[in-house]
Amino acid sequence: MIDAKRRILLKGSLAAGSVGVAAGTGLLAPGQVLAEWNEAAFRAKDIPSALDNLMGADGAEVSERIKIKAPDIAENGAVVPVTVETDLEDVTSIAIIASENQTPLIASFDLTPASIPFVATRIKMAKTADVVAVVKAGGTLYKNAKNVKVTIGGCGG
Amino acid sequence: MPDIKIRAKLSGDETTVKCLMSHPMETGLRKDSKTGELVPAHFIQEVVCKHKDQVVMTASWSGGVSKNPYLSFKFKGGASGDPIEIAWTDNKGESSSASDTIS
């Protein structure tokens, strides 16, 4: 908690303090963090640095061939169903990002040659924002976005 | 105890797998409404999905995935009766796995 208080003083932001506590209590517990889990990407506070850490590039071309299925209005931000599908070829990974969340990168899916580029899950959204899907296909990054209006934010607090 | 429910269905040459995992998925940012203390982060970090011992998809998650996560994905090459195994590991090092057959 000392860490949290110091951060609140430093940054004048309760949010930043909360992240500090998260790091101190859970994420940094010794010997428990998975080697494969891309900590830098998942802790990044903005989309370009998350993408850079995850996929090795921070920019992506907008592609209408990525289809995002998500509600126009989500009454409960804690449970927003999102489906990402694309007809792009050689898809090796798909990432789902909620642009206004404190840590925007929500999920990353590594596909194999057997996979069909389709993933569906349910995500938390802090507030009305774009849900961004980033697809890595043939070594190039593509993205598309869909705005979701959130009535009640789902990140607690 | 955390558990995983799996449904795998074959249609044509595509197998659609749907699964539900029981997990609190705490981001570490939420406060306990009674004590005002932050609830420590506790979320699934990695989900590995296997078809006949071959990995068909790996998912990496943050705490931004909803509580009791739902995951659906598709792959080619499955046959009726083939085993599907799904295993997750969370940030506390806990893990769970379950398997089912394609119907």
Side-chain angles (χ1 to χ4, degrees), chain A:
Chain A
M1 281 315 285
I2 294 162
D3 185 40
K5 280 177 187 152
R6 195 186 73 222
R7 276 170 187 250
I8 291 163
L9 285 173
L10 280 174
K11 298 193 176 176
S13 151
L14 180 64
S18 311
V19 174
V21 171
T25 50
L27 295 172
L28 289 182
Q32 295 181 344
V33 176
L34 293 174
E36 297 90 352
W37 196 69
N38 196 325
E39 198 177 323
F42 281 107
R43 291 254 222 97
K45 300 273 193 311
D46 57 275
I47 299 171
S49 53
L51 276 185
D52 198 18
N53 281 307
L54 185 72
M55 308 230 191
D58 58 3
E61 198 180 310
V62 174
S63 171
E64 292 302 321
R65 291 170 73 185
I66 302 169
K67 302 260 183 298
I68 303 172
K69 203 167 101 186
D72 294 325
I73 298 172
E75 278 184 30
N76 182 359
V79 186
V80 183
V82 175
T83 301
V84 178
E85 204 170 357
T86 178
D87 60 358
L88 291 163
E89 278 163 18
D90 294 332
V91 176
T92 48
S93 61
I94 297 176
I96 298 176
I97 294 167
S99 55
E100 292 293 331
N101 281 17
Q102 268 187 48
T103 51
L105 179 62
I106 288 182
S108 156
F109 302 89
D110 290 321
L111 308 185
T112 61
S115 311
I116 293 165
F118 165 97
V119 289
T121 187
R122 298 192 294 224
I123 67 169
K124 296 175 197 166
M125 290 182 69
K127 54 181 165 183
T128 298
D130 279 347
V131 173
V132 182
V134 179
V135 172
K136 191 172 193 175
T140 312
L141 295 188
Y142 300 93
K143 67 174 177 184
N144 204 351
K146 183 183 191 307
N147 190 265
V148 176
K149 285 199 166 47
V150 175
T151 319
I152 304 167
C155 288

Side-chain angles (χ1 to χ4, degrees), chain B residues 9-27:
Chain B
K9 217 172 163 104
L10 184 72
S11 114
D13 65 340
E14 291 186 5
T15 306
T16 304
V17 181
K18 293 177 182 176
C19 62
L20 264 177
M21 298 158 227
S22 297
H23 201 281
M25 296 301 283
E26 288 291 353
T27 55

Side-chain angles (χ1 to χ4, degrees), chain B residues 50 69 87 103:
Chain B
K50 288 180 183 168
S103 61

Side-chain angles (χ1 to χ4, degrees), chain B residues 5-72:
Chain B
K5 287 192 185 109
I6 307 171
R7 292 280 177 278
K9 217 172 163 104
L10 184 72
S11 114
D13 65 340
E14 291 186 5
T15 306
T16 304
V17 181
K18 293 177 182 176
C19 62
L20 264 177
M21 298 158 227
S22 297
H23 201 281
M25 296 301 283
E26 288 291 353
T27 55
L29 309 176
R30 193 174 71 86
K31 278 186 182 155
D32 188 298
S33 56
K34 288 195 187 103
T35 62
E37 295 279 318
L38 283 167
V39 180
H42 187 201
F43 56 88
I44 295 175
Q45 284 188 317
E46 193 186 51
V47 186
V48 178
C49 309
K50 288 180 183 168
H51 162 236
K52 288 202 292 191
D53 292 330
Q54 284 283 322
V55 174
V56 284
M57 199 206 51
T58 312
S60 297
W61 287 350
S62 73
V65 174
S66 301
K67 183 179 172 183
N68 297 331
Y70 167 78
L71 170 67
S72 175

Side-chain angles (χ1 to χ4, degrees), chain B residues 64-85:
Chain B
V65 174
S66 301
K67 183 179 172 183
N68 297 331
Y70 167 78
L71 170 67
S72 175
F73 63 95
K74 295 179 182 179
F75 68 94
K76 285 180 196 161
S80 188
D82 284 355
I84 295 288
E85 191 196 331

